[in-house]
């Protein structure tokens, strides 16, 4: 490996996700394995601008692989979006002797890294950390698997109440622009209907589906709704509409909210984070830059930032069909 890089920084940016700590651990220990210095940057790009750095070694990251959130904290920096803010950040990195950095975050974090690289030719690699699984170039983002398990566990508990009281529950899950969590968790939890931004079910078809479920003998139903679904203005409007048109149902709403972003990461996310951290650091040591590490067909790959932030991961059409069949 080329060894022009002597010190690598790591930061977490944007929304937190389970597995970020495991990724920090992997970056720090891979640096230690290759005798490279490592520093942690607190509060994402905001901390980079302010020089809020901490030297880290292999022992600095003990006992964090199982912890949710991020020990380095996270923030969304308005100042980093300005040329002046990025110049301050670059000055701080140079002052600290940092030769490259790894950013763990989503498409907004990668966009910032891409611009920073273009302005200062500063080596950077990205690790996708977001529960939405909406980044092109990887089949799984860090935290997605854990979020799915959290949602399924919650829906399982809600179903107990739904079936006990013959109720219809609308369960809103995260997914402002994409429905990966809603679709996969809905299938996994046996939801009677799944509403996602990519597929406009329509109010009439929703009622038809619920009436069909009722006619088939189901006394209760679970409808999983991605927060970005376009049928109604919000999940409470959907509730009101169904109550007006199906008086036989007692309708309730459960918004899972930020509980989906917390909690101990699953084994899958811990392993994925470990693999991604190694690949990111070794990529920098091999002279790679401006790339996001990803998983494709269980192989670590890389995708240029400009490709990873351009589009959205398409919804799984085959899973949509499975969902329709399972609601018979």
């Amino acid at each position: 490996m080329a060894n022009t890089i002597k010190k690598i920084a790591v930061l977490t940016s944007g929304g937190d996700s389970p597995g970020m700590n495991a990724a920090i651990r992997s970056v720090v220990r891979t640096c230690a394995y290759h005798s490279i210095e490592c520093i942690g940057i607190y509060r994402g790009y905001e901390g980079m601008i302010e020089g809020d750095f901490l030297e880290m070694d292999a022992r600095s990251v003990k006992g964090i692989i199982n912890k949710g959130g991020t020990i380095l904290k996270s923030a969304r920096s308005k100042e980093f979006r300005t040329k002046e803010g990025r110049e301050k950040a670059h000055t701080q990195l140079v002052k600290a002797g940092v030769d490259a950095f790894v950013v763990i975050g989503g498409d907004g974090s990668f966009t910032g890294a891409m611009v920073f690289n273009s302005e200062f030719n500063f080596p950077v690699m990205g690790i996708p950390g977001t529960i939405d699984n909406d980044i092109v170039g990887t089949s799984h983002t860090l935290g997605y698997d854990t979020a799915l398990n959290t949602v399924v566990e919650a829906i399982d508990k809600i179903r107990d109440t739904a079936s006990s009281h013959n109720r219809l529950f609308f369960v809103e899950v995260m997914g402002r622009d994409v429905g990966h969590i809603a679709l996969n968790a809905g299938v996994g939890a046996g939801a009677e209907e799944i509403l996602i931004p990519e597929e406009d079910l329509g109010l009439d078809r929703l009622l038809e589906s619920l009436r069909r479920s009722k006619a088939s003998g189901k006394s209760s139903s679970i409808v999983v709704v991605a927060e970005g679904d376009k049928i109604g203005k919000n999940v409470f409007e959907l509730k009101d509409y169904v109550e007006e048109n199906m008086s036989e149902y007692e309708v309730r709403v459960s918004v899972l909210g930020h509980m989906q972003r917390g909690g101990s990461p699953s084994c899958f996310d811990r392993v994925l984070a470990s693999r991604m951290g190694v690949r990111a650091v070794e990529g920098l040591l091999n002279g790679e830059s401006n790339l996001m590490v990803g998983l494709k067909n269980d192989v670590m790959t890389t995708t240029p930032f400009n490709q990873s932030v351009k589009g959205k991961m398409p919804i799984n059409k085959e899973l949509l069909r499975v969902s329709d069949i399972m609601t018979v």
Side-chain angles (χ1 to χ4, degrees):
M1 294 183 181
N3 203 23
T4 57
I5 291 176
K6 304 294 184 185
K7 184 182 287 190
I8 292 175
V10 59
L11 67 145
T12 49
S13 175
D16 64 294
S17 64
M20 279 187 164
N21 278 328
I24 293 168
R25 173 181 181 269
S26 180
V27 169
V28 172
R29 292 197 169 174
T30 304
C31 285
Y33 179 84
H34 290 289
S35 300
I36 301 295
E37 290 183 70
C38 187
I39 67 166
I41 300 177
Y42 282 114
R43 297 176 294 110
Y45 292 123
E46 195 69 18
M48 186 183 289
I49 290 170
E50 297 175 9
D52 196 359
F53 303 157
L54 171 73
E55 291 188 12
M56 305 183 79
D57 59 24
R59 301 284 72 77
S60 301
V61 290
K62 65 180 181 180
I64 69 169
I65 193 172
N66 61 319
K67 304 208 179 286
T70 163
I71 62 168
L72 291 178
K73 311 298 182 183
S74 187
R76 290 181 170 90
S77 175
K78 291 183 179 179
E79 190 175 3
F80 194 79
R81 296 175 186 172
T82 68
K83 181 67 180 292
E84 294 74 20
R86 293 190 295 273
E87 285 176 345
K88 289 180 184 177
H90 181 255
T91 298
Q92 295 285 11
L93 291 176
V94 172
K95 181 181 176 182
V98 176
D99 302 306
F101 69 87
V102 176
V103 56
I104 306 166
D107 54 2
S109 304
F110 294 161
T111 299
M114 182 171 60
V115 173
F116 190 83
N117 174 268
S118 68
E119 290 175 342
F120 303 104
N121 193 29
F122 202 92
V124 55
M125 293 285 280
I127 293 176
T130 169
I131 67 168
D132 289 335
N133 206 45
D134 59 348
I135 297 178
V136 172
T138 184
S139 62
H140 290 75
T141 55
L142 280 186
Y144 174 57
D145 183 73
T146 304
L148 286 181
N149 290 323
T150 298
V151 171
V152 168
E153 184 178 356
I155 294 175
D156 287 347
K157 289 177 168 58
I158 290 170
R159 187 177 290 282
D160 291 343
T161 294
S163 60
S164 297
H165 296 274
N166 295 338
R167 286 175 178 166
L168 164 63
F169 267 87
F170 283 104
V171 182
E172 184 184 270
V173 302
M174 283 186 165
R176 186 177 66 251
D177 301 312
V178 292
H180 297 292
I181 291 177
L183 179 57
N184 283 267
V187 171
E192 278 66 40
E193 196 57 74
I194 302 168
L195 308 181
I196 58 176
E198 294 88 345
E199 297 285 321
D200 188 357
L201 181 65
L203 290 170
D204 291 338
R205 191 180 148 200
L206 173 62
L207 288 181
E208 179 187 339
S209 174
L210 292 173
R211 288 183 179 126
R212 191 168 59 246
S213 293
K214 195 76 170 175
S216 71
K218 293 182 180 180
S219 60
S220 63
S221 288
I222 300 287
V223 178
V224 178
V225 185
E227 61 182 333
D229 180 68
K230 304 300 190 295
I231 291 184
K233 290 180 181 178
N234 55 57
V235 69
F236 295 98
E237 185 180 87
L238 284 176
K239 168 187 176 293
D240 294 340
Y241 183 83
V242 170
E243 282 183 329
E244 289 171 7
N245 290 274
M246 295 187 71
S247 57
E248 63 269 34
Y249 266 127
E250 188 178 350
V251 187
R252 295 289 186 271
V253 171
S254 184
V255 179
L256 299 188
H258 286 80
M259 68 176 290
Q260 297 161 85
R261 291 217 316 228
S264 181
S266 65
C267 179
F268 182 91
D269 276 329
R270 298 182 198 190
V271 174
L272 181 62
S274 300
R275 295 175 70 184
M276 285 181 166
V278 170
R279 181 64 182 84
V281 170
E282 293 188 342
L284 288 171
L285 296 181
N286 279 323
E288 294 179 298
S289 180
N290 220 28
L291 302 171
M292 181 199 80
V293 176
L295 181 71
K296 292 182 181 178
N297 299 318
D298 201 33
V299 176
M300 281 292 110
T301 62
T302 57
T303 302
F305 280 146
N306 64 346
Q307 292 181 24
S308 67
V309 302
K310 271 184 182 177
K312 295 172 185 167
M313 283 291 289
I315 207 73
N316 188 329
K317 297 291 186 180
E318 186 258 344
L319 200 55
L320 282 171
R321 183 168 178 272
V322 169
S323 171
D324 287 340
I325 293 173
M326 291 299 104
T327 58
V328 172

